[in-house]
Coordinates of all heavy atoms in Angstrom, one line a residue:
I1 N 12.7 7.8 2.4 CA 12.9 6.4 2.8 C 13.8 5.7 1.7 O 13.6 6.0 0.5 CB 11.5 5.7 2.9 CG1 11.7 4.3 3.4 CG2 10.7 5.7 1.6 CD1 10.4 3.7 3.8
E2 N 14.6 4.9 2.2 CA 15.5 4.2 1.3 C 14.8 3.1 0.6 O 13.9 2.5 1.1 CB 16.7 3.6 2.1 CG 17.6 4.6 2.7 CD 18.3 5.4 1.6 OE1 18.8 4.8 0.6 OE2 18.5 6.6 1.8
P3 N 15.1 2.9 -0.7 CA 14.4 1.8 -1.4 C 14.4 0.5 -0.7 O 13.4 -0.2 -0.7 CB 15.2 1.7 -2.8 CG 15.7 3.1 -3.0 CD 16.1 3.6 -1.6
S4 N 15.5 0.1 -0.1 CA 15.5 -1.2 0.6 C 14.6 -1.2 1.8 O 14.0 -2.2 2.1 CB 16.9 -1.5 1.1 OG 17.4 -0.5 2.0
D5 N 14.4 -0.1 2.5 CA 13.4 0.0 3.6 C 12.0 -0.1 3.1 O 11.2 -0.7 3.7 CB 13.6 1.3 4.4 CG 14.9 1.4 5.1 OD1 15.5 0.3 5.5 OD2 15.5 2.5 5.3
L6 N 11.7 0.6 1.9 CA 10.4 0.5 1.4 C 10.1 -0.9 0.9 O 9.0 -1.4 1.2 CB 10.3 1.4 0.2 CG 8.9 1.4 -0.5 CD1 7.8 1.8 0.4 CD2 9.0 2.3 -1.8
E7 N 11.0 -1.6 0.3 CA 10.8 -3.0 -0.1 C 10.5 -3.9 1.1 O 9.6 -4.7 1.1 CB 12.1 -3.5 -0.8 CG 12.2 -3.1 -2.3 CD 13.4 -3.7 -2.9 OE1 14.5 -3.6 -2.4 OE2 13.2 -4.2 -4.0
R8 N 11.4 -3.7 2.1 CA 11.2 -4.5 3.3 C 9.8 -4.3 4.0 O 9.1 -5.3 4.3 CB 12.3 -4.2 4.4 CG 12.4 -5.2 5.5 CD 13.6 -5.0 6.4 NE 14.1 -3.7 6.6 CZ 15.1 -3.1 5.9 NH1 15.8 -3.8 5.0 NH2 15.5 -1.9 6.2
G9 N 9.4 -3.1 4.1 CA 8.1 -2.8 4.6 C 6.9 -3.3 3.8 O 5.9 -3.8 4.3
A10 N 7.1 -3.1 2.5 CA 6.0 -3.5 1.5 C 5.9 -5.1 1.6 O 4.8 -5.6 1.6 CB 6.3 -3.1 0.1
Y11 N 7.0 -5.8 1.6 CA 7.0 -7.2 1.6 C 6.4 -7.7 2.9 O 5.6 -8.7 3.0 CB 8.4 -7.8 1.4 CG 9.0 -7.5 0.1 CD1 10.3 -7.6 -0.1 CD2 8.2 -7.1 -1.0 CE1 10.9 -7.3 -1.3 CE2 8.8 -6.8 -2.2 CZ 10.2 -6.9 -2.4 OH 10.7 -6.6 -3.6
E12 N 6.7 -7.1 4.0 CA 6.1 -7.4 5.3 C 4.6 -7.2 5.3 O 3.9 -8.1 5.8 CB 6.8 -6.6 6.4 CG 6.2 -6.8 7.8 CD 6.8 -8.1 8.5 OE1 7.8 -8.6 8.0 OE2 6.2 -8.5 9.5
Y13 N 4.2 -6.1 4.8 CA 2.7 -5.8 4.7 C 2.0 -6.9 3.8 O 1.0 -7.5 4.2 CB 2.5 -4.5 4.0 CG 1.0 -4.2 3.8 CD1 0.2 -3.9 4.8 CD2 0.5 -4.3 2.5 CE1 -1.2 -3.7 4.6 CE2 -0.8 -4.1 2.2 CZ -1.7 -3.8 3.3 OH -3.0 -3.7 3.0
V14 N 2.6 -7.2 2.7 CA 2.0 -8.2 1.8 C 1.9 -9.6 2.5 O 0.9 -10.3 2.4 CB 2.7 -8.3 0.5 CG1 2.3 -9.5 -0.4 CG2 2.6 -7.1 -0.3
L15 N 2.9 -10.0 3.2 CA 3.0 -11.3 3.8 C 2.1 -11.4 5.0 O 1.6 -12.5 5.3 CB 4.4 -11.6 4.2 CG 5.3 -11.9 3.0 CD1 6.8 -12.0 3.5 CD2 4.9 -13.2 2.3
N16 N 1.9 -10.3 5.8 CA 1.3 -10.4 7.1 C 0.0 -9.6 7.3 O -0.7 -9.8 8.3 CB 2.3 -10.0 8.2 CG 3.5 -10.9 8.2 OD1 3.3 -12.1 8.4 ND2 4.7 -10.4 8.0
F17 N -0.3 -8.7 6.4 CA -1.5 -7.9 6.6 C -2.4 -7.9 5.4 O -3.5 -8.5 5.4 CB -1.1 -6.4 6.9 CG -0.2 -6.3 8.2 CD1 1.1 -6.2 8.1 CD2 -0.8 -6.4 9.4 CE1 1.9 -6.2 9.2 CE2 -0.1 -6.4 10.6 CZ 1.3 -6.3 10.5
A18 N -2.0 -7.2 4.3 CA -2.7 -7.3 3.0 C -4.2 -7.0 3.1 O -5.0 -7.6 2.4 CB -2.5 -8.6 2.3
E19 N -4.6 -6.0 3.9 CA -6.0 -5.7 4.0 C -6.2 -4.1 3.9 O -5.2 -3.4 4.2 CB -6.6 -6.1 5.4 CG -6.7 -7.6 5.5 CD -7.3 -8.0 6.9 OE1 -7.1 -7.3 7.9 OE2 -7.8 -9.1 6.9
A20 N -7.4 -3.7 3.6 CA -7.7 -2.3 3.5 C -8.7 -2.0 4.6 O -9.6 -2.8 4.9 CB -8.3 -1.9 2.2
G21 N -8.6 -0.8 5.2 CA -9.6 -0.4 6.2 C -10.4 0.8 5.7 O -10.1 1.4 4.7
A22 N -11.5 1.1 6.5 CA -12.3 2.3 6.1 C -11.9 3.4 7.1 O -12.3 3.4 8.3 CB -13.8 1.9 6.3
M23 N -11.2 4.3 6.6 CA -10.8 5.5 7.4 C -10.1 5.2 8.7 O -10.4 5.8 9.8 CB -12.0 6.4 7.6 CG -12.7 6.9 6.3 SD -11.6 7.8 5.3 CE -11.4 9.3 6.2
H24 N -9.3 4.2 8.7 CA -8.5 3.7 9.9 C -9.3 3.3 11.1 O -8.9 3.4 12.2 CB -7.6 4.9 10.4 CG -6.7 5.4 9.3 ND1 -5.6 4.7 8.8 CD2 -6.8 6.6 8.6 CE1 -5.0 5.5 7.9 NE2 -5.7 6.6 7.7
D25 N -10.5 2.8 10.8 CA -11.4 2.4 11.9 C -12.2 1.1 11.5 O -12.6 0.9 10.4 CB -12.5 3.5 12.1 CG -13.3 3.3 13.4 OD1 -12.8 2.7 14.3 OD2 -14.5 3.6 13.3
G26 N -12.3 0.2 12.5 CA -13.1 -1.0 12.3 C -12.3 -2.1 11.6 O -11.1 -2.1 11.3
P27 N -13.1 -3.1 11.2 CA -12.5 -4.3 10.5 C -12.1 -4.0 9.1 O -12.5 -3.0 8.5 CB -13.7 -5.3 10.6 CG -14.9 -4.5 10.6 CD -14.6 -3.2 11.4
A28 N -11.4 -4.9 8.5 CA -11.0 -4.8 7.1 C -12.2 -4.8 6.2 O -13.2 -5.5 6.4 CB -10.1 -6.0 6.7
V29 N -12.1 -4.0 5.2 CA -13.2 -3.9 4.2 C -12.8 -4.3 2.8 O -13.5 -4.2 1.8 CB -13.8 -2.4 4.1 CG1 -14.5 -2.1 5.5 CG2 -12.8 -1.4 3.8
G30 N -11.5 -4.6 2.6 CA -10.9 -4.9 1.3 C -9.7 -5.7 1.4 O -9.1 -5.9 2.5
R31 N -9.2 -6.2 0.3 CA -8.0 -7.1 0.2 C -7.1 -6.7 -0.9 O -7.5 -6.1 -1.9 CB -8.5 -8.5 -0.1 CG -9.5 -9.1 0.8 CD -10.2 -10.3 0.2 NE -11.2 -9.9 -0.8 CZ -11.6 -10.7 -1.8 NH1 -11.1 -11.9 -2.0 NH2 -12.5 -10.2 -2.7
L32 N -5.8 -6.9 -0.6 CA -4.7 -6.6 -1.6 C -4.8 -7.6 -2.8 O -5.0 -8.8 -2.6 CB -3.4 -6.8 -0.9 CG -2.2 -6.5 -1.8 CD1 -2.0 -5.0 -1.9 CD2 -0.9 -7.1 -1.1
V33 N -4.8 -7.0 -4.0 CA -4.8 -7.8 -5.2 C -3.5 -7.7 -6.0 O -3.3 -8.5 -6.9 CB -6.1 -7.6 -6.0 CG1 -7.3 -8.0 -5.3 CG2 -6.2 -6.1 -6.5
E34 N -2.8 -6.6 -5.8 CA -1.5 -6.5 -6.5 C -0.6 -5.5 -5.7 O -1.0 -4.7 -5.0 CB -1.7 -6.0 -7.9 CG -2.2 -4.6 -8.1 CD -2.4 -4.2 -9.5 OE1 -1.5 -4.5 -10.4 OE2 -3.4 -3.5 -9.9
S35 N 0.7 -5.7 -5.9 CA 1.7 -4.9 -5.2 C 3.0 -4.9 -6.1 O 3.5 -6.0 -6.5 CB 2.0 -5.5 -3.8 OG 3.1 -4.8 -3.2
L36 N 3.6 -3.8 -6.2 CA 4.9 -3.6 -6.9 C 5.7 -2.5 -6.3 O 5.2 -1.4 -6.2 CB 4.7 -3.3 -8.4 CG 5.9 -2.8 -9.2 CD1 6.9 -4.0 -9.4 CD2 5.6 -2.2 -10.5
V37 N 6.8 -2.9 -5.8 CA 7.8 -1.9 -5.3 C 8.7 -1.6 -6.5 O 9.4 -2.5 -7.0 CB 8.6 -2.4 -4.1 CG1 9.6 -1.3 -3.7 CG2 7.7 -2.7 -3.0
L38 N 8.7 -0.4 -7.0 CA 9.6 0.0 -8.1 C 10.8 0.8 -7.6 O 10.6 1.9 -7.2 CB 8.8 0.8 -9.1 CG 9.5 1.1 -10.4 CD1 9.8 -0.2 -11.2 CD2 8.6 2.0 -11.3
T39 N 11.9 0.2 -7.7 CA 13.2 0.8 -7.4 C 13.8 1.3 -8.7 O 13.5 0.8 -9.8 CB 14.1 -0.1 -6.6 OG1 14.5 -1.2 -7.5 CG2 13.5 -0.6 -5.4
P40 N 14.8 2.2 -8.6 CA 15.5 2.6 -9.9 C 16.1 1.4 -10.6 O 16.0 1.3 -11.8 CB 16.6 3.5 -9.3 CG 16.0 4.2 -8.1 CD 15.2 3.0 -7.5
E41 N 16.6 0.4 -9.8 CA 17.2 -0.8 -10.5 C 16.2 -1.6 -11.2 O 16.4 -2.1 -12.3 CB 17.9 -1.6 -9.4 CG 19.1 -1.0 -8.8 CD 18.8 0.0 -7.7 OE1 17.6 0.0 -7.2 OE2 19.7 0.8 -7.4
K42 N 15.0 -1.8 -10.6 CA 14.0 -2.6 -11.2 C 13.4 -1.8 -12.5 O 13.2 -2.4 -13.5 CB 12.8 -2.8 -10.3 CG 13.1 -3.8 -9.2 CD 11.9 -3.9 -8.2 CE 12.3 -4.8 -7.0 NZ 11.1 -4.8 -6.1
A43 N 13.3 -0.5 -12.4 CA 12.8 0.3 -13.5 C 13.8 0.2 -14.7 O 13.3 0.0 -15.8 CB 12.7 1.8 -13.1
R44 N 15.1 0.2 -14.4 CA 16.1 0.1 -15.5 C 16.0 -1.3 -16.1 O 16.0 -1.5 -17.4 CB 17.5 0.3 -15.0 CG 17.8 1.8 -14.8 CD 19.3 2.0 -14.6 NE 19.8 1.4 -13.3 CZ 19.7 2.0 -12.1 NH1 19.2 3.2 -12.0 NH2 20.2 1.4 -11.1
A45 N 15.8 -2.3 -15.3 CA 15.7 -3.7 -15.8 C 14.4 -3.9 -16.7 O 14.4 -4.7 -17.6 CB 15.7 -4.7 -14.7
M46 N 13.4 -3.1 -16.4 CA 12.1 -3.3 -17.1 C 12.0 -2.3 -18.3 O 11.1 -2.3 -19.1 CB 10.9 -3.0 -16.2 CG 10.8 -4.1 -15.2 SD 9.2 -4.1 -14.2 CE 9.3 -2.5 -13.4
G47 N 13.0 -1.3 -18.4 CA 13.0 -0.4 -19.4 C 12.0 0.7 -19.3 O 11.5 1.2 -20.3
V48 N 11.6 1.0 -18.0 CA 10.6 2.1 -17.8 C 11.3 3.3 -17.0 O 12.4 3.1 -16.5 CB 9.4 1.6 -16.9 CG1 8.7 0.5 -17.7 CG2 9.9 1.1 -15.6
A49 N 10.6 4.4 -17.0 CA 11.2 5.6 -16.3 C 11.5 5.3 -14.9 O 10.7 4.7 -14.2 CB 10.2 6.8 -16.4
E50 N 12.6 5.7 -14.4 CA 13.1 5.5 -13.1 C 12.4 6.5 -12.1 O 12.3 7.7 -12.4 CB 14.6 5.7 -12.9 CG 15.4 4.6 -13.7 CD 16.9 4.8 -13.5 OE1 17.3 5.3 -12.4 OE2 17.6 4.5 -14.5
P51 N 11.9 6.0 -11.0 CA 11.4 6.9 -9.9 C 12.6 7.6 -9.3 O 13.8 7.2 -9.4 CB 10.8 5.9 -8.9 CG 11.5 4.6 -9.1 CD 11.8 4.6 -10.6
M52 N 12.4 8.7 -8.7 CA 13.4 9.5 -8.1 C 14.1 8.7 -7.0 O 15.3 8.7 -6.8 CB 12.9 10.8 -7.4 CG 12.5 11.8 -8.5 SD 11.8 13.3 -7.7 CE 13.1 13.9 -6.7
N53 N 13.4 7.9 -6.3 CA 14.0 7.1 -5.2 C 13.4 5.6 -5.3 O 14.0 4.7 -5.7 CB 13.7 7.7 -3.8 CG 14.4 7.1 -2.7 OD1 15.3 6.3 -2.9 ND2 14.1 7.4 -1.5
A54 N 12.1 5.5 -4.9 CA 11.4 4.2 -5.0 C 9.9 4.6 -4.9 O 9.5 5.6 -4.4 CB 11.8 3.3 -3.9
A55 N 9.1 3.7 -5.5 CA 7.7 3.9 -5.4 C 7.0 2.5 -5.1 O 7.5 1.5 -5.5 CB 7.2 4.4 -6.8
W56 N 5.8 2.6 -4.5 CA 5.1 1.4 -4.2 C 3.7 1.5 -4.7 O 3.0 2.4 -4.4 CB 5.1 1.2 -2.7 CG 4.4 -0.1 -2.2 CD1 4.1 -1.2 -3.0 CD2 3.8 -0.3 -0.9 NE1 3.5 -2.2 -2.2 CE2 3.3 -1.7 -0.9 CE3 3.7 0.4 0.2 CZ2 2.7 -2.2 0.2 CZ3 3.1 -0.2 1.3 CH2 2.6 -1.5 1.3
W57 N 3.3 0.6 -5.7 CA 2.0 0.6 -6.3 C 1.2 -0.5 -5.7 O 1.8 -1.7 -5.6 CB 2.2 0.5 -7.8 CG 0.9 0.2 -8.5 CD1 0.3 -1.0 -8.7 CD2 0.0 1.1 -9.1 NE1 -0.9 -0.9 -9.3 CE2 -1.1 0.4 -9.6 CE3 0.0 2.5 -9.2 CZ2 -2.2 1.1 -10.2 CZ3 -1.0 3.1 -9.8 CH2 -2.1 2.4 -10.3
I58 N 0.0 -0.3 -5.2 CA -0.8 -1.4 -4.7 C -2.2 -1.3 -5.4 O -2.6 -0.2 -5.8 CB -1.0 -1.5 -3.2 CG1 -1.7 -0.2 -2.6 CG2 0.4 -1.7 -2.5 CD1 -2.1 -0.3 -1.2
G59 N -2.9 -2.4 -5.5 CA -4.2 -2.4 -5.9 C -5.1 -3.2 -4.9 O -4.6 -4.2 -4.3
M60 N -6.2 -2.6 -4.5 CA -7.1 -3.2 -3.5 C -8.5 -3.5 -4.1 O -9.0 -2.8 -4.9 CB -7.3 -2.3 -2.3 CG -6.0 -2.1 -1.5 SD -5.8 -3.5 -0.4 CE -4.5 -2.9 0.6
K61 N -9.0 -4.6 -3.7 CA -10.4 -4.9 -4.0 C -11.2 -4.6 -2.7 O -11.0 -5.2 -1.7 CB -10.5 -6.4 -4.3 CG -12.0 -7.0 -4.3 CD -12.8 -6.5 -5.4 CE -14.1 -7.3 -5.6 NZ -15.2 -6.6 -5.1
I62 N -12.1 -3.6 -2.8 CA -12.9 -3.2 -1.7 C -14.2 -4.1 -1.7 O -15.0 -3.9 -2.7 CB -13.3 -1.7 -1.7 CG1 -12.0 -0.9 -1.8 CG2 -14.1 -1.3 -0.5 CD1 -11.0 -1.1 -0.6
D63 N -14.4 -4.9 -0.8 CA -15.5 -5.9 -0.7 C -16.8 -5.2 -0.2 O -17.9 -5.7 -0.5 CB -15.1 -7.1 0.1 CG -14.0 -7.8 -0.5 OD1 -14.0 -8.2 -1.7 OD2 -13.0 -8.1 0.2
D64 N -16.6 -4.3 0.7 CA -17.8 -3.6 1.3 C -18.4 -2.6 0.3 O -17.7 -1.5 0.1 CB -17.4 -3.0 2.6 CG -18.5 -2.3 3.4 OD1 -19.3 -1.6 2.8 OD2 -18.6 -2.6 4.6
L65 N -19.5 -2.9 -0.2 CA -20.1 -2.0 -1.3 C -20.4 -0.6 -0.8 O -20.3 0.4 -1.5 CB -21.3 -2.6 -1.9 CG -21.1 -4.0 -2.6 CD1 -22.4 -4.5 -3.2 CD2 -20.0 -3.8 -3.7
E66 N -20.8 -0.5 0.5 CA -21.1 0.8 1.1 C -19.8 1.7 1.2 O -19.8 2.9 0.8 CB -21.8 0.7 2.4 CG -22.2 2.0 3.1 CD -22.9 1.7 4.4 OE1 -23.8 0.8 4.5 OE2 -22.6 2.5 5.4
V67 N -18.8 1.1 1.6 CA -17.5 1.8 1.7 C -17.0 2.1 0.3 O -16.5 3.3 0.1 CB -16.4 0.9 2.4 CG1 -15.0 1.5 2.3 CG2 -16.8 0.7 3.9
F68 N -17.1 1.2 -0.7 CA -16.6 1.5 -2.0 C -17.4 2.7 -2.6 O -16.8 3.5 -3.3 CB -16.8 0.3 -2.9 CG -16.1 0.4 -4.3 CD1 -14.8 0.8 -4.4 CD2 -16.8 0.2 -5.4 CE1 -14.2 0.9 -5.6 CE2 -16.3 0.4 -6.7 CZ -14.9 0.7 -6.8
E69 N -18.7 2.8 -2.4 CA -19.5 3.9 -2.9 C -19.0 5.2 -2.3 O -18.9 6.2 -3.0 CB -21.0 3.7 -2.6 CG -21.9 4.7 -3.2 CD -21.8 4.6 -4.8 OE1 -21.6 3.5 -5.3 OE2 -21.9 5.7 -5.4
K70 N -18.6 5.2 -1.0 CA -18.1 6.4 -0.4 C -16.7 6.8 -1.0 O -16.4 8.0 -1.1 CB -18.0 6.2 1.1 CG -19.3 6.2 1.8 CD -19.2 5.9 3.3 CE -20.6 5.9 3.9 NZ -20.5 5.7 5.4
V71 N -15.9 5.8 -1.4 CA -14.7 6.1 -2.1 C -14.9 6.7 -3.4 O -14.4 7.7 -3.8 CB -13.8 4.8 -2.3 CG1 -12.6 5.0 -3.2 CG2 -13.4 4.2 -0.9
K72 N -15.9 6.1 -4.2 CA -16.2 6.7 -5.5 C -16.7 8.1 -5.5 O -16.4 8.9 -6.4 CB -17.2 5.7 -6.2 CG -16.6 4.4 -6.6 CD -17.4 3.5 -7.5 CE -18.8 3.4 -7.1 NZ -19.6 2.5 -8.0
T73 N -17.6 8.4 -4.5 CA -18.2 9.7 -4.4 C -17.2 10.8 -3.8 O -17.5 12.0 -3.9 CB -19.4 9.7 -3.5 OG1 -19.1 9.4 -2.2 CG2 -20.5 8.8 -4.1
G74 N -16.1 10.3 -3.3 CA -15.1 11.2 -2.7 C -15.4 11.5 -1.2 O -14.7 12.3 -0.6
E75 N -16.4 10.9 -0.6 CA -16.7 11.1 0.8 C -15.5 10.6 1.6 O -15.2 11.2 2.6 CB -18.0 10.3 1.2 CG -18.3 10.5 2.7 CD -19.6 9.9 3.0 OE1 -20.5 9.6 2.2 OE2 -19.8 9.7 4.3
Y76 N -14.9 9.5 1.2 CA -13.7 9.0 1.8 C -12.5 9.4 0.9 O -12.3 8.9 -0.1 CB -13.7 7.5 1.9 CG -14.6 6.9 3.0 CD1 -14.7 5.5 3.1 CD2 -15.2 7.7 4.0 CE1 -15.5 5.0 4.1 CE2 -16.0 7.1 4.9 CZ -16.1 5.8 5.0 OH -16.9 5.2 6.0
A77 N -11.8 10.4 1.4 CA -10.6 10.9 0.7 C -9.3 10.3 1.1 O -8.3 10.5 0.5 CB -10.6 12.4 0.8
A78 N -9.3 9.5 2.1 CA -8.1 8.9 2.6 C -8.2 7.3 2.5 O -9.3 6.8 2.2 CB -7.8 9.2 4.1
F79 N -7.1 6.7 2.7 CA -7.0 5.2 2.5 C -6.2 4.6 3.6 O -5.1 5.1 3.9 CB -6.4 4.9 1.1 CG -6.5 3.5 0.8 CD1 -7.7 2.9 0.3 CD2 -5.4 2.7 0.8 CE1 -7.8 1.6 0.0 CE2 -5.4 1.4 0.5 CZ -6.7 0.8 0.1
S80 N -6.7 3.5 4.2 CA -5.9 2.9 5.3 C -5.6 1.5 4.8 O -6.4 0.7 4.3 CB -6.8 2.7 6.5 OG -6.2 1.9 7.5
I81 N -4.3 1.1 4.9 CA -3.9 -0.2 4.5 C -3.8 -1.2 5.7 O -3.3 -2.3 5.5 CB -2.5 -0.2 3.7 CG1 -1.4 0.3 4.6 CG2 -2.7 0.6 2.4 CD1 0.0 0.1 4.0
Q82 N -4.3 -0.8 6.8 CA -4.4 -1.7 8.0 C -3.0 -2.3 8.4 O -3.0 -3.5 8.8 CB -5.4 -2.9 7.7 CG -6.8 -2.5 7.4 CD -7.6 -2.1 8.6 OE1 -7.7 -1.0 8.9 NE2 -8.3 -3.0 9.2
G83 N -2.0 -1.6 8.2 CA -0.7 -2.1 8.6 C -0.2 -1.5 9.9 O -0.9 -0.7 10.5
V84 N 0.9 -2.0 10.4 CA 1.5 -1.5 11.6 C 2.9 -1.2 11.4 O 3.6 -1.7 10.5 CB 1.3 -2.4 12.8 CG1 -0.1 -2.7 13.2 CG2 2.1 -3.8 12.6
A85 N 3.5 -0.3 12.2 CA 4.9 0.0 12.1 C 5.5 0.4 13.4 O 4.7 0.8 14.3 CB 5.1 1.2 11.1
D86 N 6.8 0.3 13.6 CA 7.4 0.8 14.8 C 8.2 2.1 14.4 O 8.9 2.1 13.4 CB 8.4 -0.3 15.3 CG 7.7 -1.5 15.7 OD1 6.7 -1.4 16.4 OD2 8.3 -2.6 15.5
A87 N 8.0 3.1 15.2 CA 8.7 4.3 15.0 C 10.1 4.2 15.8 O 10.1 3.8 16.9 CB 7.9 5.5 15.6
L88 N 11.1 4.6 15.1 CA 12.5 4.5 15.6 C 13.0 5.9 15.6 O 13.0 6.6 14.6 CB 13.4 3.6 14.8 CG 12.9 2.1 14.7 CD1 13.8 1.4 13.8 CD2 12.9 1.5 16.1
E89 N 13.6 6.4 16.7 CA 14.3 7.6 16.8 C 15.6 7.6 16.0 O 16.4 6.7 16.3 CB 14.5 8.1 18.2 CG 15.0 9.5 18.3 CD 15.1 10.0 19.8 OE1 14.2 9.5 20.6 OE2 15.9 10.8 20.1
V90 N 15.8 8.5 15.1 CA 17.0 8.5 14.4 C 17.9 9.7 14.9 O 17.5 10.8 15.0 CB 16.7 8.8 12.8 CG1 18.0 8.9 12.1 CG2 15.9 7.7 12.3
A91 N 19.1 9.3 15.3 CA 20.0 10.3 15.9 C 20.8 11.0 14.8 O 21.0 10.7 13.7 CB 21.0 9.6 16.8

């Protein structure tokens, strides 16, 4: 994915969704508390190691204690950010 596409998608998510789900099912169980899209240009400006392409770091606060316990024990090994996307065919 191109850095500009990652940035656009991350910003759209932060502005319009910003929730966490439990295994892609049911209502939101958590909220976004931090987000950073790190592009090579941003990394150079901050004086940190450049990612190969781009990276997206998020932090979530899981409000549902039962779900959070399942995350901590490893019962939930996946993570849902409750976002949506449109698939486009690339020729």
Side-chain angles (χ1 to χ4, degrees):
I1 186 169
E2 292 297 318
S4 61
D5 293 331
L6 179 61
E7 281 182 311
R8 191 170 36 259
Y11 297 159
E12 179 77 14
Y13 172 76
V14 169
L15 290 170
N16 297 300
F17 301 101
E19 295 180 330
M23 302 300 290
H24 307 286
D25 187 34
V29 297
R31 305 166 281 154
L32 182 75
V33 295
E34 65 180 322
S35 174
L36 169 68
V37 177
L38 186 63
T39 63
E41 293 79 17
K42 289 177 187 176
R44 282 192 296 276
M46 293 188 299
V48 299
E50 294 181 31
M52 290 178 59
N53 191 11
W56 182 22
W57 169 273
I58 64 169
M60 290 284 190
K61 165 72 168 100
I62 304 301
D63 298 306
D64 184 311
L65 297 179
E66 185 177 313
V67 170
F68 189 55
E69 190 59 34
K70 290 179 180 180
V71 171
K72 291 191 309 184
T73 65
E75 183 177 340
Y76 283 173
F79 188 75
S80 171
I81 62 168
Q82 300 282 91
V84 296
D86 294 320
L88 301 174
E89 186 173 331
V90 178

